[in-house]
């Protein structure tokens, strides 16, 4: 049995939940395929056909930490706060798709193809089909930086890219055993089409060729031309250093070119392999216990647990590392900078019952928190209106690939001390000076909100850490 099969079957069942029902797609009549596909081979409604290939599809968020997903939500729907900010891409994507958001520029579809139980299936090509034209969407633009759809199993590899502006057949070769399922992800792009679309897969069932339509659970996918990005180049640059995804919104669609001005952002770094994770939450998060049932996968569970807690609104506790990223499209001839970073801190006391504390300790863990990269450390124990962290720190803006801005990132660590209910809210003052003595000042926050770090009472094993998990086993390679 193919090792991918359990994952793909699981995805097919999940697709049924997304769609409300596992909907097979339109098929050509049960006869030998002609030399060329019929023009209307997949224009009709989805029809269940006994003994034939089936397909299921849905919109997907993305596949890589560097992915960006953008869409426009129709007018009249205000984006809720719970769907915005660091670690909220999944919440924003779910909310936006439920409110009929139209992807902009690029759309990703995850799909499965299941062979008949009595004969195998060979997938030979995919093509994108342009459907009915749609008026350009108007409303609220939303965007996810670092858009990774964690509901797509790792076995669902990318099959390639399609383009609505220049349709062509994408040649593939996938063989599926009788009754088995193969899955994949396909990306479709446009620069000028506001329209419906779907995918047609050319397959062979034994000696018969068929055309199978892949769509969004029975309805066409939609796509519209791209709009100007919401996130800054500096926010995008921070993703490569281990920051979490970032969900953003902007009222009113904007089309334009990026600015040549220097952009500055700050992000909290996620814990890396071998690093402990401490967080506090307003409530017990039962999904964490289910995830922790498989703690014999060193280096994986703690990271997934941290992302899950962050998406649920939990706060980092005790100690956290942060990245200050800079991006300057016009900095190629003068890359050197001098940077000052200070925190504007407000100490608060959490109201209500004591928080739920979570700790996760990887196999062979050590007490560290990205310290090897930190240029400075700030310790919070009281109200500190202005706390310097980095002073006169050198930085060099470098461009890794053509067409991208020159970037640089500095790192620092923040420790928080105090009683269980203590929280520290802070923003950053960042000053950047070039070789000519020109200085720019930037006030940086966490995607529109202050950064928040909860205290750990004794610095090691806090009294409020009610749920501590230790990964077992040994890390490989």
């Amino acid at each position: 049995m193919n090792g991918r099969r359990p994952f793909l079957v699981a995805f097919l069942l999940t697709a049924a939940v997304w769609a409300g029902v596992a909907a097979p797609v339109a098929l050509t009549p049960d006869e030998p395929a002609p030399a060329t596909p019929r023009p209307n081979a997949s224009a009709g409604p989805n029809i269940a056909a006994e003994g034939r290939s089936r397909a299921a599809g849905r919109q997907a968020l993305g596949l890589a930490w560097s992915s960006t997903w953008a869409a426009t939500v129709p007018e009249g729907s205000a984006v809720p706060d719970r769907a915005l900010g660091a670690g909220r891409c999944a919440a924003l994507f779910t909310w936006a798709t439920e409110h009929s958001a139209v992807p902009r520029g690029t759309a990703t579809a995850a799909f499965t193809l299941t062979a008949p139980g009595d004969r195998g299936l060979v997938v030979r090509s995919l093509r994108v089909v342009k459907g009915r034209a749609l008026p350009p969407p108007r409303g609220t633009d939303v965007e996810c930086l670092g858009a990774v759809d964690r509901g797509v199993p790792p076995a669902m590899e990318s099959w390639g890219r399609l383009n609505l502006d220049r349709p062509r057949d994408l040649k593939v070769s996938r063989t599926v055993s009788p009754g088995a399922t193969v899955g994949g992800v396909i990306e479709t792009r446009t620069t000028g089409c506001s329209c419906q679309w779907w995918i047609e897969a050319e397959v062979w069932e034994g000696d018969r060729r068929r055309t199978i339509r892949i769509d969004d659970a029975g309805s066409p996918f939609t796509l519209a031309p791209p709009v100007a990005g919401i996130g800054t180049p500096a926010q995008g640059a921070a993703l490569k250093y281990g920051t979490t995804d970032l969900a953003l919104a902007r009222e009113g669609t904007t089309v334009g070119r990026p600015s040549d001005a220097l952009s500055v952002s700050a992000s909290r770094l996620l814990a890396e392999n071998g690093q402990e994770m401490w967080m506090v939450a307003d409530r017990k998060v039962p999904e964490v216990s289910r995830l922790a049932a498989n703690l014999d996968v060193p280096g994986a569970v703690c990271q997934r647990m941290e992302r899950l807690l962050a998406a649920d609104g939990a706060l980092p506790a005790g100690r956290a590392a942060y990245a200050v990223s800079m991006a300057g499209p016009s900095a190629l001839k003068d890359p050197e900078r001098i940077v000052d970073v200070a925190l504007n801190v407000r100490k608060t006391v959490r109201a209500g019952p004591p928080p739920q504390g979570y700790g996760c300790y990887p196999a062979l863990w050590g007490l560290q928190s990205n310290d090897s990269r930190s240029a400075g450390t700030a310790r919070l124990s009281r109200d500190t209106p202005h706390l310097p962290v980095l002073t006169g720190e050198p930085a060099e803006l470098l461009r890794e690939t053509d067409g991208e801005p020159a970037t640089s990132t500095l790192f620092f660590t923040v420790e928080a001390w105090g009683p269980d209910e203590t929280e520290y809210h802070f923003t950053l003052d960042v000053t950047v000076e070039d070789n000519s003595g020109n200085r720019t000042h930037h006030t940086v926050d966490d995607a529109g909100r202050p950064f928040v770090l909860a205290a750990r009472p004794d610095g090691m094993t806090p009294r409020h850490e009610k749920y501590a998990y230790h990964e077992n086993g040994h890390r490989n390679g």
Side-chain angles (χ1 to χ4, degrees):
M1 179 184 296
N2 190 324
R4 294 181 178 177
R5 182 175 176 180
F7 295 99
L8 299 173
V9 172
F11 173 74
L12 184 61
L13 295 176
T14 306
V17 177
W18 291 325
V21 60
V25 297
L27 303 168
T28 52
D30 189 6
E31 59 187 15
T36 58
R38 294 169 52 185
N40 61 347
S42 51
N46 288 340
I47 302 171
E50 190 70 28
R52 297 190 183 179
S53 306
R54 295 177 299 163
R58 72 161 177 94
Q59 295 185 62
L61 182 54
L63 281 182
W65 61 265
S66 58
S67 298
T68 298
W69 174 82
T72 298
V73 183
E75 294 174 326
S77 299
V79 185
D81 285 344
R82 61 176 172 77
L84 296 174
R88 306 295 175 83
C89 270
L92 179 61
F93 177 74
T94 299
W95 178 88
T97 52
E98 289 176 350
H99 286 77
S100 303
V102 178
R104 305 302 299 246
T106 302
T108 302
F111 63 91
T112 56
L113 294 168
T114 302
D118 58 347
R119 57 192 182 277
L121 174 71
V122 180
V123 188
R124 289 300 189 193
S125 69
L126 301 175
R127 74 176 69 92
V128 64
V129 179
K130 187 184 301 184
R132 182 168 60 90
L134 300 173
R138 300 175 61 88
T140 301
D141 291 338
V142 294
E143 181 177 87
C144 285
L145 300 177
V148 178
D149 195 323
R150 303 192 182 281
V152 176
M156 303 277 287
E157 62 182 354
S158 173
W159 282 28
R161 294 174 175 174
L162 300 172
N163 195 313
L164 277 167
D165 305 326
R166 297 181 297 277
R168 65 175 180 83
D169 283 6
L170 177 64
K171 300 300 182 182
V172 297
S173 180
R174 299 291 194 281
T175 301
V176 190
S177 302
T181 298
V182 66
V185 177
I186 197 78
E187 189 177 85
T188 299
R189 296 182 174 184
T190 187
T191 58
C193 182
S194 183
C195 55
Q196 297 178 337
W197 63 278
W198 57 88
I199 297 169
E200 288 183 347
E202 289 292 327
V203 306
W204 285 89
E205 296 175 5
D207 59 354
R208 297 172 183 253
R209 187 172 69 175
R210 303 194 186 283
T211 301
I212 303 178
R213 170 168 158 163
I214 300 170
D215 56 22
D216 191 6
S219 300
F221 296 105
T222 58
L223 189 58
V227 294
I230 303 174
T232 66
Q235 289 172 322
L239 294 169
K240 68 182 70 174
Y241 296 106
T243 62
T244 187
D245 55 60
L246 185 60
L248 304 166
R250 173 183 59 207
E251 291 293 337
T253 297
T254 300
V255 179
R257 299 177 63 183
S259 169
D260 285 340
L262 180 77
S263 64
V264 178
S265 73
S267 309
R268 180 177 71 87
L269 299 182
L270 298 176
E272 296 182 336
N273 288 340
Q275 296 177 0
E276 71 280 7
M277 180 276 295
W278 302 322
M279 301 190 79
V280 295
D282 289 325
R283 66 179 184 91
K284 184 176 180 180
V285 184
E287 295 84 357
V288 171
S289 297
R290 291 194 288 270
L291 182 62
N294 192 22
L295 284 171
D296 59 343
V297 187
V301 176
C302 288
Q303 294 182 59
R304 293 177 60 192
M305 191 179 299
E306 182 179 25
R307 290 182 182 274
L308 190 155
L309 285 165
D312 196 72
L315 302 175
R319 185 181 180 91
Y322 297 84
V324 175
S325 295
M326 297 158 282
S330 61
L332 301 180
K333 296 181 180 180
D334 182 18
E336 295 182 355
R337 296 291 187 274
I338 297 296
V339 183
D340 296 334
V341 179
L343 308 185
N344 295 316
V345 184
R346 181 172 61 89
K347 179 180 176 180
T348 66
V349 177
R350 174 191 291 254
Q356 306 284 328
Y358 288 89
C360 192
Y361 303 91
L364 307 179
W365 66 279
L367 290 176
Q368 55 178 326
S369 181
N370 295 281
D371 285 346
S372 61
R373 296 187 295 188
S374 293
T377 299
R379 181 169 177 173
L380 306 179
S381 58
R382 59 184 184 276
D383 281 312
T384 312
H386 192 78
L387 177 63
V389 182
L390 304 177
T391 303
E393 190 69 24
E396 186 173 6
L397 277 68
L398 300 175
R399 185 174 65 177
E400 295 184 2
T401 58
D402 292 338
E404 293 187 357
T407 62
S408 182
T409 299
L410 300 174
F411 307 93
F412 64 91
T413 302
V414 179
E415 297 178 350
W417 298 68
D420 287 9
E421 296 79 17
T422 304
E423 294 178 356
Y424 295 92
H425 298 237
F426 59 91
T427 58
L428 277 63
D429 279 343
V430 181
T431 301
V432 184
E433 182 178 343
D434 63 21
N435 279 335
S436 301
N438 299 316
R439 295 164 65 90
T440 59
H441 301 273
H442 309 264
T443 299
V444 184
D445 56 22
D446 186 15
R449 304 179 177 91
F451 292 96
V452 184
L453 184 62
R456 289 177 62 87
D458 59 11
M460 285 291 182
T461 309
R463 295 186 299 273
H464 60 260
E465 189 179 78
K466 298 181 180 179
Y467 305 98
Y469 302 92
H470 296 260
E471 289 183 346
N472 304 314
H474 302 283
R475 288 182 295 176
N476 295 322

